[in-house]
Amino acid sequence: MAWVKISPDAIDSNVVEGKLDRDGCGATVCFTGTVRNRSRGRRVHHLDYETYLPLATTELNRVVLEAESRFDVRAAVQHRIGKLLPGQVSLYVAVASPHRSAAFESCYWIMEAVKTSVPVWKRESHDDGVDWIEGNDSVPAVGNRPIP
Amino acid sequence: MITVTVLLFAHHADIAGSTRLDLQLPNGSSAVGCAAAIQQKWPALGDLLRTSRVAVGEQFTDTSIALKDGDEVAFIPPVSGG
């Protein structure tokens, strides 16, 4: 049964993995996404993650349900938003499956889907200023508005 | 006329100086018309909004559907989660 959470709460990997129904499963694959300390050759001070929470939750749930159906796995995903420092965990994906190949493949598939379809954006504060990261582009931020 | 609430994110919101705008539009307007109205006030946003995905009522939707009075219209820039 799909489980997703998007919130400013710190991510506890044990809690996320605990949401998986592992009955009949012999493989669990987990992905931990952390904030890099360098990006595009610049030292990163912190990231601010913005989201459109209702749509992001719906979309993330859709992604996880599709992965569960497509790969015959059980999956749980938590995305952190708000201000994060280098080294802090921004995303955790846990997938359980009867066999390892489906667990690896679906975990990667979920990651790719999150990065292309779930409405979350990162604003990167670095040595040279502040940029929004939008898709593959980096766009200078205007002002420094608070991210809720 | 109808009144819709527009939601903006990331650097789109920076350009407008707000994440929420209330707009009055002619009956039958679509998200494309909504983008054109916003472009009149913030020219730099026009092309950006026209190439964005659109959500109405917290669901992704086609940009050509007619908006209704009270709709919440979100323009979604390319995402960068993870």
Side-chain angles (χ1 to χ4, degrees), chain B residues 3-69:
Chain B
T3 300
V4 301
T5 299
V6 176
L7 303 182
L8 300 172
F9 302 94
H11 98 284
H12 295 180
D14 286 2
I15 292 170
S18 177
T19 58
R20 288 178 80 91
L21 309 170
D22 288 327
L23 276 187
Q24 284 206 316
L25 300 168
N27 289 333
S29 293
S30 66
V32 176
C34 190
I38 294 170
Q39 184 180 13
Q40 290 184 350
K41 190 165 183 182
W42 295 281
L45 274 177
D47 287 343
L48 295 171
L49 298 187
R50 271 191 294 277
T51 56
S52 295
R53 295 182 77 185
V54 171
V56 175
E58 302 175 0
Q59 296 288 330
F60 282 119
T61 189
D62 190 275
T63 57
S64 62
I65 66 156
L67 300 173
K68 301 188 302 292
D69 189 49

Side-chain angles (χ1 to χ4, degrees), chain A residues 7-144:
Chain A
S7 91
D9 296 345
I11 295 174
D12 182 335
S13 59
N14 289 323
V15 170
V16 181
E17 289 178 51
K19 301 298 180 183
L20 295 173
D21 172 7
R22 301 194 210 204
D23 183 40
C25 292
T28 301
V29 169
C30 300
F31 172 87
T32 305
T34 54
V35 177
R36 281 193 298 271
N37 65 351
R38 298 194 69 80
S39 175
R40 299 166 200 252
R42 305 175 297 212
R43 189 167 64 92
V44 174
H45 301 176
H46 69 269
L47 299 180
D48 292 294
Y49 283 90
E50 181 171 62
T51 190
Y52 179 24
L53 187 59
L55 184 60
T57 303
T58 299
E59 188 64 8
L60 183 56
N61 200 54
R62 184 195 64 75
V63 164
V64 170
L65 285 171
E66 186 173 340
E68 290 187 332
S69 171
R70 182 184 288 222
F71 296 94
D72 190 21
V73 298
R74 295 85 183 263
V77 179
Q78 184 170 349
H79 201 311
R80 189 172 179 185
I81 54 172
K83 182 177 179 178
L84 274 78
L85 301 173
Q88 290 188 307
V89 176
S90 57
L91 179 72
Y92 196 78
V93 180
V95 182
S97 169
H99 302 288
R100 66 185 182 281
S101 60
F104 277 116
E105 288 173 24
S106 61
C107 189
Y108 184 83
W109 187 90
I110 288 170
M111 274 308 307
E112 293 300 295
V114 166
K115 293 183 84 69
T116 54
S117 73
V118 177
V120 175
W121 302 270
K122 54 173 78 101
R123 187 175 66 183
E124 186 180 273
S125 295
H126 52 77
D127 278 343
D128 299 332
V130 183
D131 287 331
W132 283 103
I133 310 301
E134 296 183 1
N136 293 321
D137 296 328
S138 174
V139 187
V142 181
N144 198 21

